């Protein structure tokens, strides 16, 4: 993670002038990704710094060049700082961008990172809209138990780019705000696709499993700052009631 200088960056850390070596150099990453991809393995890559993300995208590109197109549905998760030049590569390589959008606000970790990477890089954290606009598939994750498991918290932050539990927090890069529809897709149909479950889950359609929740309010009728105050009334898994509010 950036806050402990353990993310590999394209440019050195601002305050120390040093960097953290990648766990795998590019040639090793290329070899691993190519072999796993050839075996039909879906590769799920943890990458936070722009250097790590760049290495992962290069390795996915190498696997594609060596093995040809397939349906392995690889992804990169976290994506705190993406180099601008790498943003279009997610769509081009068919790599899913798995964001934890709850973190896309000016929380304590943002402030801790500013001296380490400088204001400009910190302001570019979690460029969700840029990735969406590039045509890439975006999914939502929580990284639980590190942070909130409630997707409504993360959805609200992606829309507001502010702390979901306050209404007066500074906005983090308003240009990277996304729509409610985009984030609902990220947590439903896009997530199902990433798990190869699009034929049975991810949307409410005849013939699919009834995996769904009913909320006490229509999210599309709420002010963005009220999204995470919605509550679940009923949860169905494969049509079975597994939770019902009093």
């Amino acid at each position: 993670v950036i806050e402990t200088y353990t993310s590999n960056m394209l440019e050195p850390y601002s305050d120390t002038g040093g960097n953290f070596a990648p766990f795998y150099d590019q040639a090793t990453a290329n070899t691993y990704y190519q072999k796993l991809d050839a075996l039909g393995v879906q590769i799920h890559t943890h990458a936070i710094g722009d250097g790590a993300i760049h290495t992962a995208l290069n390795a996915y590109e190498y696997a594609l060049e060596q093995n040809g197109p397939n349906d392995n549905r690889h992804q990169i998760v976290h994506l705190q700082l993406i180099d601008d030049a790498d943003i279009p590569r997610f769509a081009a390589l068919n790599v899913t961008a798995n964001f934890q959008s709850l973190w896309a606000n000016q929380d304590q970790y943002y402030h801790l990172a500013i001296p380490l990477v400088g204001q400009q890089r910190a302001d570019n954290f979690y460029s969700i809209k840029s990735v969406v606009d590039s045509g890439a598939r975006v999914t939502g994750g929580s990284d639980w138990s590190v942070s909130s498991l409630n997707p409504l918290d993360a959805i609200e932050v992606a829309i507001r780019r502010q702390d979901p539990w306050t209404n007066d927090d500074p906005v983090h890069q308003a240009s990277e705000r996304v729509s409610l529809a985009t984030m609902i897709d990220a947590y439903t149909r896009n997530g199902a696709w990433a798990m190869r479950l699009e034929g049975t889950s991810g949307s409410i359609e005849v013939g699919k499993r009834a995996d769904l929740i009913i909320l006490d309010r229509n999210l599309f009728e709420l002010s963005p700052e009220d999204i995470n105050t919605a509550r679940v009334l009923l949860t169905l898994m494969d049509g079975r009631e597994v939770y019902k509010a009093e």
Side-chain angles (χ1 to χ4, degrees), residues 3 80 103 105-115 117-119 121-125 170-172:
E3 298 80 29
Q80 185 168 352
W103 305 337
N105 67 89
Q106 294 188 9
D107 60 10
Q108 60 179 324
Y109 298 104
Y110 163 82
H111 291 289
L112 284 172
I114 291 173
V117 298
Q119 190 70 56
R121 284 190 283 184
D123 285 343
N124 284 333
F125 287 170
V171 174
H172 178 65

Side-chain angles (χ1 to χ4, degrees), residues 187-224:
Y187 275 93
T188 56
R189 65 180 82 237
N190 290 359
W193 184 90
M195 295 187 292
R196 303 181 184 277
L197 296 176
E198 73 275 16
T200 58
S201 189
S203 58
I204 303 172
E205 298 180 59
V206 174
K208 290 191 176 183
R209 292 170 50 130
D211 295 342
L212 55 94
I213 61 171
I214 297 174
L215 299 175
D216 62 348
R217 281 162 288 169
N218 184 344
L219 298 182
F220 288 93
E221 295 175 354
L222 294 180
S223 298

Side-chain angles (χ1 to χ4, degrees), residues 32-41 43 63 67-68 70 72 74:
Y32 284 162
Y33 280 45
Q34 183 271 320
K35 290 182 179 294
L36 290 167
D37 181 69
L39 292 169
V41 174
I43 304 172
N67 300 335
N70 55 46
N72 287 342
H74 305 308

Side-chain angles (χ1 to χ4, degrees), residues 111-161:
H111 291 289
L112 284 172
I114 291 173
L116 279 64
V117 298
Q119 190 70 56
Q120 182 176 354
R121 284 190 283 184
D123 285 343
N124 284 333
F125 287 170
Y126 304 110
S127 47
I128 303 172
K129 188 174 189 297
S130 294
V131 174
V132 170
D133 289 348
S134 75
R137 180 177 286 99
V138 168
T139 61
S142 70
D143 206 37
W144 187 82
S145 61
V146 172
S147 57
S148 171
L149 185 62
N150 183 356
L152 296 179
D153 293 337
I155 288 170
E156 180 175 317
V157 176
I159 296 166
R160 296 177 55 212
R161 305 285 294 196

